[in-house]
Amino acid sequence: SQQGEEDPQALSIQEGENATMNCSYKTSINNLQWYRQNSGRGLVHLILIRSNEREKHSGRLRVTLDTSKKSSSLLITASRAADTASYFCATDPGWSYGKLTFGQGTILTVHP
Amino acid sequence: DAGITQSPRYKITETGRQVTLMCHQTWSHSYMFWYRQDLGHGLRLIYYSAAADITDKGEVPDGYVVSRSKTENFPLTLESATRSQTSVYFCASHGQGASPLHFGNGTRLTVT
C-alpha cells in the first residue's frame, strides 16, 4: 500500500509561476523526502525534512511538514521549463533501514 | 552521476525465461534496494539489503530473487518471468542513517 498520496496527480503551469504539490501519509514518520524524476531517468533526491521540523528551504524549493495532519507540501517558486518532471514524496518511519514508501507522484509540466 | 549503474537499460524477454538485472554502486553504501515502478502504483519495494549477505523482502517480493555477495553489487533475478513483471526496475542505495536514496537510471523490462 502507498504511504504517501499526492495531490494533484498532474499540474500544468506557465514559466515564472509557482507550483505547489501536496503529500499526505498515514503512519508516523521519522522524515519525509521529496524526489524528482525526469522522463526516462531515475529519481533524484531534492530535500529531506525531519519530523521535528516544520519548514525547510533549498534554493527555489520550500517544503512544509505538518505532522498533526500527516501532510507535507512542496513549493517550487518561479518555475522554469526545466522543472518539468514527476515529483514524489517518500516517507521514512525511521526503523526500517531507510526503506522508503513512495507516493504515486505529481506530474508537473511547465510551459515556456 | 556514475555512482550507481544498472544494466541492461532495456530488456525484452519471453514468459517463463529467467532474467537477471544488474546493479552496481561505487560508494560502498551498505544499503541497497530494488523498486519497481508501474503506472497507478508508483514505486514499490521488491527487496532490500542492509549489507553483504543480508537481504530481506519488501512489499512485492514474489517471483524475484536477490543476492549480495559483494557490497557493490545487488542483482535481481526473475526466476520465471511473467507478463505482470513488465515494469521499470530501479536500484537504489544509501549510506548509514536517514540519508537520501541514490537511484540508478532504471531497467525497462518487457515480458512477452
Side-chain angles (χ1 to χ4, degrees):
Chain A
S1 62
Q2 291 297 315
Q3 164 78 311
E5 297 296 332
E6 291 170 73
D7 169 56
Q9 290 187 340
L11 181 60
S12 181
I13 59 174
Q14 295 296 127
E15 226 173 14
E17 295 180 339
N18 295 342
T20 300
M21 289 159 268
N22 302 298
C23 170
S24 61
Y25 58 93
K26 298 175 182 175
T27 60
S28 297
I29 63 170
N30 174 274
N31 67 78
L32 185 144
Q33 302 175 30
W34 285 89
Y35 288 79
R36 183 184 74 201
Q37 183 182 31
N38 290 92
S39 180
R41 308 282 290 188
L43 282 73
V44 175
H45 178 259
L46 294 175
I47 195 165
L48 180 154
I49 185 166
R50 299 182 188 278
S51 60
N52 61 353
E53 298 175 310
R54 292 296 169 258
E55 188 170 312
K56 202 162 183 180
H57 296 255
S58 177
R60 294 185 295 114
L61 306 180
R62 173 179 167 251
V63 169
T64 61
L65 179 64
D66 187 335
T67 53
S68 66
K69 295 181 179 178
K70 291 186 167 60
S71 67
S72 174
S73 67
L74 171 68
L75 168 68
I76 303 174
T77 60
S79 61
R80 305 165 182 168
D83 294 328
T84 294
S86 294
Y87 292 83
F88 295 86
C89 68
T91 54
D92 181 354
W95 46 260
S96 63
Y97 307 106
K99 289 188 296 177
L100 303 182
T101 302
F102 286 83
Q104 294 188 26
T106 293
I107 301 171
L108 173 66
T109 304
V110 182
H111 299 281
Chain B
D1 190 329
I4 184 164
T5 53
Q6 293 183 237
S7 60
R9 282 284 274 142
Y10 303 92
K11 176 74 177 178
I12 300 174
T13 192
E14 295 177 340
T15 301
R17 298 242 185 198
Q18 182 181 81
V19 60
T20 296
L21 311 183
M22 304 302 293
C23 178
H24 175 79
Q25 52 105 352
T26 59
W27 294 299
S28 298
H29 282 167
S30 296
Y31 298 95
M32 296 188 74
F33 306 83
W34 275 105
Y35 285 88
R36 60 177 289 174
Q37 185 176 32
D38 305 286
L39 279 174
H41 291 281
L43 280 89
R44 292 179 291 174
L45 182 64
I46 305 170
Y47 267 96
Y48 70 101
S49 169
D53 298 322
I54 300 176
T55 62
D56 205 351
K57 298 176 181 179
E59 183 185 354
V60 288
D62 293 344
Y64 303 95
V65 174
V66 293
S67 62
R68 192 148 177 229
S69 58
K70 293 184 177 181
T71 300
E72 61 266 30
N73 296 324
F74 190 38
L76 176 73
T77 297
L78 288 66
E79 294 185 295
S80 178
T82 65
R83 290 195 182 89
S84 65
Q85 293 177 308
T86 292
S87 185
V88 182
Y89 291 86
F90 288 99
C91 179
S93 71
H94 78 78
Q96 299 291 335
S99 53
L101 286 178
H102 298 266
F103 281 82
N105 281 325
T107 294
R108 182 175 293 276
L109 176 68
T110 302
V111 183
T112 63

